[in-house]
Amino acid sequence: MTATHARDAAPAHAEPKASWAPMVGLFFAQMLMSFNVAALPVSIGGMVEEFDVPPTTASTAIVVYGLAVAALVMVGAKLGQRVGWVLIFRIVVATFAGSSLMMLFGPNVYWIIAAQVVAGASAAIIVPSLVALIAENYRGRQQATAVGSLGSARAISGVTAFFIGGALGTLIGWRPVFGVVLGIAVLVFILSFRLRGDRGDSGIRIDLVAAVLIGLAIVSLTLGFNNLNGWGVLEATDNAPFSIGRISPAPLLVLLGIVLGQAFFLWTRRRTKQGKVPLVSLQVLGKGSERAAVYAMFIVVALEAALNFTVPLYIQIVQGRTPFDTSLAMMPFNLTVFVTATLIVRFYGRFNPRTIGVAGFVLTTAALVWLSFVVTNNWETLPTILGLFVFGVGQGALVTLVFNVLVTAVPKDLAGDVGSIRGTTQNLASAVGTALAGALLVGILAANISSALTQNTYLPEELVDEVSLENANFVSNDQLRSLLEGTDATPSQTDEFVRINEEARLSALRMGLLILAGISALAIVPAARLPRYRPGEIPEPQNARK
């Protein structure tokens, strides 16, 4: 059957409408994971105070959650295919609820860390389950709308978690916010009985070699990128756990991750040629348009992570304000992503994926360039809000679009593989985006301060050496004044140091945004390789593959 005949045989308008009740449960399942992730940073301060541990120990809970998801998501997809998506979905939602109970009643920080390992392992199966169950329950425009709602759930969860977590943390304590997570998990479990799915295939075997290779690759890449700032981009810092010939372990872990990733692909191709079931079918990435969708997804998620790192850095660290202030500053962005991710499917009948993809990256590029020119030390200015709004439109449209391209391009039985590709790509892109933003901003800041101090003739050289400002990270004006109180700096010299630091910070921010804009502009290349079809012209994946 040709693609043309498939188009004629199954026009989009002939598809029966399915009930949205199953999608309500899947929407809240995405909220469950996103709310948990967003609640963790808000709870760090309370954990530190209650358990009397350093912030780095408490933040380990965030790290282990992300690592568990990224390392196990491909295994999770195969478990779903073997056991059956509805059954495995209910099991892991129940274990996620168990992790919330551990968060509510855990007696020490190690229970908290273990709870997030359980939550991450559960999410590693929920992520591909969402895609597979959408493919099982919806078709055509309804499927596109359902996929778009997952992006909406992520955005709205971040906003509500900041507000609810901040309010509960201030009035009661950090633990009650995970009572909300528990409540969402119970609701999802109840709604899961409205889902339709297959019974699974017990004959499917999990490729353990591939699971180990991709797991170690993702862990190495994530740890490497996340610690580029702390351990050193090239030369090892004092915070590095070890060094090899003074080389930082961070780039070595990135290199190791790339090597292990290539070994995974080689092994998977070999297993496929032997007629054995691979851990993930590379058929998902068989076409150039599908690979372009993955590249575009990686870049847009990395850009989102970079922006989500940059804004809190300036508001909380530089301006010394609260997480609640951060959530208010990011409100235009988060709400815009939420609305756009939901509504973008209405444009699929008028514009093809290639047009929307290119337009999306044009918007994110224009927004980042605009922000680099208008941003000041006050994020709440109207021009800044406008820039965040435009970026949110582009980002919301792109995340939904590229996900839809992958889901509609493969047979229904490979939907779980699409989910695992999505989970791996998003987790890795988030780590890379955060690390890239941190390395850029800190590196540019150090260069700016060093240049300004070298050209400054007012500040004595011995005082400059004593303060060593070019080796400092981002500090607020108050922190810098406190640092200078322990030196021989006069009030006018203190003011000069503050001026240099203030100008260097703002310049680093603007330059970093411009570089991110350049990366966004480069992403137009893979976006231009997305398919040109519209919903009524999508060929049946089974026929398209033959």
Side-chain angles (χ1 to χ4, degrees), residues 149-462:
S149 73
L150 297 184
S152 303
R154 287 181 66 232
I156 202 66
S157 298
V159 176
T160 54
F162 265 116
F163 275 103
I164 295 175
L168 290 176
T170 302
L171 298 174
I172 305 175
W174 66 272
R175 289 186 191 264
V177 71
F178 292 96
V180 178
V181 177
L182 176 61
I184 297 173
V186 172
L187 177 63
V188 172
F189 185 83
I190 294 171
L191 291 172
S192 69
F193 289 90
R194 299 297 301 271
L195 293 167
R196 181 183 72 247
D198 59 40
R199 296 181 178 274
D201 182 358
S202 59
I204 291 178
R205 296 289 180 266
I206 297 176
D207 184 355
L208 295 179
V209 174
V212 171
L213 285 174
I214 195 61
L216 290 176
I218 295 299
V219 169
S220 296
L221 287 169
T222 305
L223 286 177
F225 279 116
N226 274 334
N227 290 287
L228 281 173
N229 275 329
W231 296 348
V233 176
L234 288 176
E235 186 176 351
T237 66
D238 294 336
N239 294 325
F242 64 90
S243 63
I244 300 177
R246 294 196 56 78
I247 298 177
S248 167
L252 296 179
L253 282 171
V254 172
L255 180 62
L256 175 62
I258 293 172
V259 171
L260 289 170
Q262 290 300 311
F264 165 78
F265 283 112
L266 289 172
W267 174 266
T268 300
R269 291 190 186 97
R270 176 188 172 192
R271 188 174 176 86
T272 303
K273 287 180 180 178
Q274 292 174 346
K276 299 178 181 178
V277 178
L279 184 66
V280 63
S281 175
L282 298 184
Q283 195 177 359
V284 173
L285 305 175
K287 291 182 177 180
S289 60
E290 293 156 11
R291 292 191 293 273
V294 173
Y295 298 148
M297 180 184 293
F298 184 93
I299 294 172
V300 73
V301 173
L303 289 173
E304 179 190 15
L307 195 65
N308 282 333
F309 172 85
T310 303
V311 176
L313 173 71
Y314 270 78
I315 294 177
Q316 295 183 47
I317 305 301
V318 175
Q319 296 179 350
R321 298 166 69 183
T322 66
F324 188 76
D325 292 322
T326 303
S327 66
L328 289 178
M330 292 297 285
M331 184 68 70
F333 170 70
N334 285 319
L335 288 180
T336 305
V337 171
F338 168 67
V339 174
T340 306
T342 304
L343 298 181
I344 188 62
V345 295
R346 297 179 180 272
F347 292 87
Y348 288 178
R350 298 175 56 190
F351 304 101
N352 61 54
R354 184 174 301 181
T355 301
I356 297 175
V358 170
F361 278 116
V362 168
L363 285 176
T364 57
T365 303
L368 289 167
V369 171
W370 171 263
L371 285 170
S372 71
F373 282 100
V374 304
V375 73
T376 65
N377 282 324
N378 180 11
W379 277 91
E380 285 80 5
T381 61
L382 183 59
T384 304
I385 292 173
L386 176 62
L388 291 173
F389 171 81
V390 174
F391 187 90
V393 171
Q395 198 270 343
L398 285 164
V399 169
T400 302
L401 173 75
V402 295
F403 191 14
N404 255 312
V405 169
L406 289 174
V407 173
T408 56
V410 300
K412 185 179 69 175
D413 60 332
L414 292 181
D417 292 50
V418 172
S420 67
I421 293 291
R422 174 206 179 210
T424 302
T425 301
Q426 289 188 335
N427 277 277
L428 186 57
S430 182
V432 172
T434 303
L436 175 65
L440 274 176
L441 294 175
V442 172
I444 296 170
L445 175 68
N448 288 346
I449 290 177
S450 178
S451 175
L453 290 176
T454 300
Q455 298 173 18
N456 191 288
T457 56
Y458 175 67
L459 296 173
E461 187 175 338
E462 58 273 14

